[in-house]
Amino acid sequence: MGGFGSAVVEALEEMGSQVPVVRIGWPDQFIEHGKVDDLRAKYGLTVEAAQAQVTPLLARRRRPALVAS
C-alpha cells in the first residue's frame, strides 16, 4: 500500500536492478497492543521468520565456488 518497501522496490526498478526483494514488515492494519515479542511472533517478524523467507532466495542465487588451480 505504498509503504517503505514499495519505495525501495520502485527505486531498485528505476536503477535497473535485478536484486530480489523480500518485504518484511508490519501489515497495513490495526495492530493490537501487547508484548512486542508476542506481536512479532504473531505477524512473522522474528529473526526465524525472516530467515525462512530469505533463505530460499539465497539458496537459488548460490553459485559454485571458484577453485584456483
Side-chain angles (χ1 to χ4, degrees), residues 1-44:
M1 294 207 68
F4 181 72
S6 297
V8 170
V9 170
E10 187 176 322
L12 289 170
E13 287 176 355
E14 287 175 4
M15 294 186 317
S17 174
Q18 298 296 314
V19 176
V21 176
V22 176
R23 297 183 203 192
I24 301 172
W26 298 101
D28 191 19
Q29 65 187 46
F30 174 78
I31 305 296
E32 67 277 9
H33 288 73
K35 293 183 179 180
V36 174
D37 288 341
D38 293 342
L39 293 172
R40 285 182 180 152
K42 179 178 180 176
Y43 291 100

